[in-house]
Amino acid sequence: MDNNEIKDLRDKIIHIQSIMSQVATSKDGQEIARERNDEYAGLWSEIDQGLTQLRERGTNIEHQNTFSILPDFYEYARLTFPQNYQARREYIKSLYADLEQISTKSNENANNKSSVPSQSDLWVIAPTGMSFRSQPSATASVLMGIAFGQHVTALNTESAVDASGRSWLQVRTDSGSVGFIA
């Protein structure tokens, strides 16, 4: 899955979340669920296929949204979160929270027989991107943001752990900047 495919997957996730939010927070949610079900089901299937491709590349991202048809989601949201639209929105967001992981693809070169450890190609799949920091700490200065779908290279296989227990990985951007992401 290349960067364009990852960006396409992100766009589909944003679209399906928008549909789900509309259904979950509208007084006409049941009617909207029926009207937009074909669109939703197609998106759900495409997202499921994209996540399967990411799993085949070694990520541990499961499709947490088990509602392949919109009326089922509507009924679940209505019964589980009666009159609580904020809880419904938070639930929708949680269904794709695992995407804040980074997908990895080994960058092993079959012709390279040296003892240098292989590096890993990484693509940011957090929908809102990630902060690229100067040091392995949440309080370190942010050098830049790394957008969804952007490629970086992990520089070592071991992560640094800060005082709060958060793991940080040192990476290099395609432009050559070196920093840390969590």
Side-chain angles (χ1 to χ4, degrees), residues 1-2 5-6 9-10 13 47-62 98-99 101-105 123-125 148:
M1 182 172 261
D2 66 21
E5 291 170 317
I6 292 173
L9 179 60
R10 175 186 178 254
I13 289 168
I47 291 167
D48 194 57
Q49 291 170 2
L51 294 176
T52 297
Q53 289 176 2
L54 286 174
R55 281 193 302 278
E56 289 169 355
R57 286 186 42 207
T59 63
N60 292 323
I61 299 173
E62 295 295 325
D98 283 352
L99 292 177
Q101 298 177 31
I102 298 175
S103 65
T104 63
K105 175 185 171 193
W123 287 267
V124 174
I125 60 172
F148 177 90

Side-chain angles (χ1 to χ4, degrees), residues 2-88:
D2 66 21
N3 287 347
N4 289 332
E5 291 170 317
I6 292 173
K7 287 178 185 175
D8 185 50
L9 179 60
R10 175 186 178 254
D11 291 344
K12 289 174 183 172
I13 289 168
I14 290 169
H15 190 176
I16 204 169
Q17 287 177 315
S18 172
I19 294 170
M20 294 172 81
S21 291
Q22 182 185 19
V23 166
T25 60
S26 173
K27 64 180 178 146
D28 300 321
Q30 187 173 21
E31 182 179 332
I32 295 168
R34 282 193 303 269
E35 290 172 358
R36 298 196 70 183
N37 186 58
D38 289 344
E39 175 187 12
Y40 172 90
L43 282 168
W44 187 92
S45 180
E46 291 173 17
I47 291 167
D48 194 57
Q49 291 170 2
L51 294 176
T52 297
Q53 289 176 2
L54 286 174
R55 281 193 302 278
E56 289 169 355
R57 286 186 42 207
T59 63
N60 292 323
I61 299 173
E62 295 295 325
H63 196 174
Q64 300 296 320
N65 179 2
T66 59
F67 302 102
S68 60
I69 61 172
L70 201 49
D72 287 353
F73 166 72
Y74 169 77
E75 284 302 316
Y76 176 83
R78 185 179 64 81
L79 295 172
T80 307
F81 309 105
Q83 302 302 315
N84 190 337
Y85 292 161
Q86 182 60 33
R88 292 177 188 183

